[in-house]
Amino acid sequence: MNMNFNLFMNDVVRQARSEITSAGYTELKTADEVDAALNKPGTTLVMVNSVCGCAGGIARPAAAHAIHYDKRPDQLVTVFAGQDKDATAKAREYFTGFPPSSPSFALLKDGKLVRMVERHEIEGHEPMAVVNKLQDAFEENCEEM
Protein backbone atom coordinates (compact mmCIF):
# COMPACT_ATOMS: atom_id res chain seq x y z
CA MET A 1 0.00 0.00 0.00
CA ASN A 2 2.84 2.40 0.80
CA MET A 3 4.28 1.90 -2.69
CA ASN A 4 0.92 2.77 -4.28
CA PHE A 5 0.72 5.91 -2.14
CA ASN A 6 4.22 6.95 -3.23
CA LEU A 7 3.32 6.41 -6.89
CA PHE A 8 0.14 8.43 -6.39
CA MET A 9 2.05 11.27 -4.71
CA ASN A 10 4.66 11.25 -7.49
CA ASP A 11 1.84 11.69 -10.00
CA VAL A 12 0.30 14.52 -7.95
CA VAL A 13 3.66 16.30 -7.70
CA ARG A 14 4.39 15.80 -11.41
CA GLN A 15 0.97 17.24 -12.33
CA ALA A 16 1.39 20.22 -9.98
CA ARG A 17 4.85 20.96 -11.42
CA SER A 18 3.58 20.63 -14.98
CA GLU A 19 0.68 23.01 -14.41
CA ILE A 20 3.05 25.79 -13.37
CA THR A 21 5.83 25.22 -15.89
CA SER A 22 3.25 24.98 -18.70
CA ALA A 23 2.02 28.42 -17.64
CA GLY A 24 5.52 29.84 -18.22
CA TYR A 25 7.14 29.66 -14.78
CA THR A 26 10.73 28.45 -14.42
CA GLU A 27 11.34 25.84 -11.74
CA LEU A 28 14.10 26.62 -9.28
CA LYS A 29 15.32 23.42 -7.64
CA THR A 30 18.46 24.54 -5.79
CA ALA A 31 19.38 27.35 -3.42
CA ASP A 32 21.92 28.64 -5.97
CA GLU A 33 19.24 28.83 -8.68
CA VAL A 34 17.02 30.80 -6.28
CA ASP A 35 19.78 33.29 -5.43
CA ALA A 36 20.63 33.78 -9.10
CA ALA A 37 17.00 34.35 -10.09
CA LEU A 38 15.91 36.52 -7.17
CA ASN A 39 18.93 38.81 -7.39
CA LYS A 40 18.23 39.75 -11.01
CA PRO A 41 17.16 43.37 -11.51
CA GLY A 42 13.48 43.97 -12.24
CA THR A 43 10.39 42.24 -10.92
CA THR A 44 10.06 38.56 -10.12
CA LEU A 45 6.96 36.62 -9.15
CA VAL A 46 7.75 33.56 -7.03
CA MET A 47 5.02 30.95 -6.80
CA VAL A 48 5.58 28.61 -3.85
CA ASN A 49 3.90 25.50 -5.20
CA SER A 50 2.33 22.86 -2.97
CA VAL A 51 0.48 19.58 -3.25
CA CYS A 52 -2.17 20.94 -0.87
CA GLY A 53 -5.38 20.03 -2.64
CA CYS A 54 -7.66 22.92 -1.75
CA ALA A 55 -5.29 25.88 -1.80
CA GLY A 56 -3.04 24.44 -4.53
CA GLY A 57 -6.07 23.88 -6.75
CA ILE A 58 -6.78 27.61 -6.47
CA ALA A 59 -3.20 28.93 -6.57
CA ARG A 60 -2.03 27.11 -9.71
CA PRO A 61 -4.88 28.30 -11.97
CA ALA A 62 -4.50 31.81 -10.47
CA ALA A 63 -0.76 31.71 -11.25
CA ALA A 64 -1.52 30.80 -14.86
CA HIS A 65 -4.24 33.41 -15.41
CA ALA A 66 -2.79 36.38 -13.49
CA ILE A 67 0.08 36.82 -15.95
CA HIS A 68 -2.30 37.61 -18.81
CA TYR A 69 -2.24 41.30 -17.97
CA ASP A 70 -0.77 44.48 -19.48
CA LYS A 71 1.69 44.81 -16.63
CA ARG A 72 3.43 41.69 -15.46
CA PRO A 73 6.67 40.63 -13.75
CA ASP A 74 9.87 40.43 -15.76
CA GLN A 75 10.47 36.93 -14.45
CA LEU A 76 8.17 34.09 -13.33
CA VAL A 77 9.69 31.40 -11.11
CA THR A 78 8.48 28.63 -8.83
CA VAL A 79 9.80 26.57 -5.94
CA PHE A 80 8.05 23.48 -4.66
CA ALA A 81 7.45 23.29 -0.90
CA GLY A 82 8.03 19.84 0.52
CA GLN A 83 9.83 18.71 -2.64
CA ASP A 84 12.73 21.06 -3.40
CA LYS A 85 13.44 21.86 0.23
CA ASP A 86 16.72 23.79 -0.17
CA ALA A 87 15.31 25.98 -2.93
CA THR A 88 12.14 26.66 -0.95
CA ALA A 89 14.07 27.50 2.22
CA LYS A 90 16.33 29.88 0.27
CA ALA A 91 13.34 31.59 -1.39
CA ARG A 92 11.67 32.06 1.99
CA GLU A 93 14.75 33.94 3.21
CA TYR A 94 13.68 36.70 0.80
CA PHE A 95 10.14 36.84 2.26
CA THR A 96 11.17 38.87 5.30
CA GLY A 97 8.52 39.17 8.00
CA PHE A 98 6.31 36.38 6.68
CA PRO A 99 6.06 32.85 8.10
CA PRO A 100 6.40 29.89 5.72
CA SER A 101 3.21 29.54 3.72
CA SER A 102 2.39 27.24 0.83
CA PRO A 103 1.06 27.71 -1.62
CA SER A 104 1.86 31.40 -1.75
CA PHE A 105 3.12 34.13 -4.02
CA ALA A 106 5.87 36.68 -3.48
CA LEU A 107 6.50 39.63 -5.76
CA LEU A 108 10.03 40.97 -5.56
CA LYS A 109 11.47 44.08 -7.13
CA ASP A 110 15.26 44.17 -7.47
CA GLY A 111 15.50 41.33 -4.94
CA LYS A 112 13.29 43.02 -2.31
CA LEU A 113 9.84 41.78 -1.33
CA VAL A 114 7.07 44.21 -2.32
CA ARG A 115 3.96 41.99 -1.97
CA MET A 116 3.17 38.64 -0.41
CA VAL A 117 0.00 36.65 -1.02
CA GLU A 118 -0.12 34.02 1.71
CA ARG A 119 -2.01 30.75 1.89
CA HIS A 120 -4.79 32.28 4.01
CA GLU A 121 -5.41 34.74 1.14
CA ILE A 122 -5.73 31.81 -1.28
CA GLU A 123 -7.45 28.95 0.55
CA GLY A 124 -11.22 29.29 0.52
CA HIS A 125 -11.16 32.10 -2.06
CA GLU A 126 -12.15 31.96 -5.70
CA PRO A 127 -9.24 31.78 -8.18
CA MET A 128 -10.31 35.14 -9.67
CA ALA A 129 -9.95 36.81 -6.25
CA VAL A 130 -6.34 35.60 -6.14
CA VAL A 131 -5.79 36.69 -9.76
CA ASN A 132 -7.06 40.16 -8.80
CA LYS A 133 -4.66 40.37 -5.83
CA LEU A 134 -1.75 39.44 -8.06
CA GLN A 135 -2.75 41.83 -10.83
CA ASP A 136 -3.14 44.67 -8.30
CA ALA A 137 0.45 43.99 -7.23
CA PHE A 138 1.56 43.92 -10.88
CA GLU A 139 -0.23 47.24 -11.51
CA GLU A 140 1.68 48.88 -8.66
CA ASN A 141 5.11 47.36 -9.27
CA CYS A 142 5.56 46.11 -12.83
CA GLU A 143 6.14 47.69 -16.22
CA GLU A 144 3.83 47.25 -19.19
CA MET A 145 4.87 44.35 -21.41
Side-chain angles (χ1 to χ4, degrees):
M1 183 153 137
N2 193 17
M3 189 169 120
N4 286 339
F5 179 75
N6 288 339
L7 290 172
F8 169 76
M9 285 309 296
N10 287 340
D11 284 346
V12 170
V13 168
R14 191 173 15 264
Q15 177 62 32
R17 285 185 190 277
S18 175
E19 257 183 269
I20 293 303
T21 56
S22 296
Y25 289 72
T26 301
E27 273 191 308
L28 306 176
K29 293 188 174 189
T30 68
D32 288 343
E33 289 175 348
V34 169
D35 272 338
L38 301 192
N39 284 304
K40 285 184 181 175
T43 52
T44 301
L45 180 64
V46 181
M47 194 274 184
V48 179
N49 203 349
S50 167
V51 291
C52 166
C54 4
I58 296 165
R60 286 187 293 276
H65 293 289
I67 58 175
H68 299 287
Y69 191 67
D70 291 342
K71 293 183 178 182
R72 59 174 267 188
D74 300 313
Q75 182 176 217
L76 305 168
V77 299
T78 183
V79 295
F80 207 121
Q83 301 298 314
D84 302 322
K85 293 177 181 163
D86 292 341
T88 303
K90 178 55 76 175
R92 287 179 170 153
E93 289 176 14
Y94 289 82
F95 311 158
T96 310
F98 290 89
S101 176
S102 58
S104 61
F105 295 92
L107 182 63
L108 292 91
K109 190 169 191 171
D110 299 326
K112 303 287 182 220
L113 183 68
V114 293
R115 179 70 167 95
M116 191 81 196
V117 178
E118 297 176 272
R119 179 188 176 121
H120 70 85
E121 297 177 84
I122 298 168
E123 192 171 28
H125 293 81
E126 292 295 319
M128 279 312 297
V130 179
V131 167
N132 290 337
K133 285 177 198 228
L134 293 171
Q135 289 179 343
D136 287 347
F138 300 167
E139 184 64 35
E140 289 177 27
N141 298 286
C142 300
E143 299 295 321
E144 204 159 310
M145 296 303 252

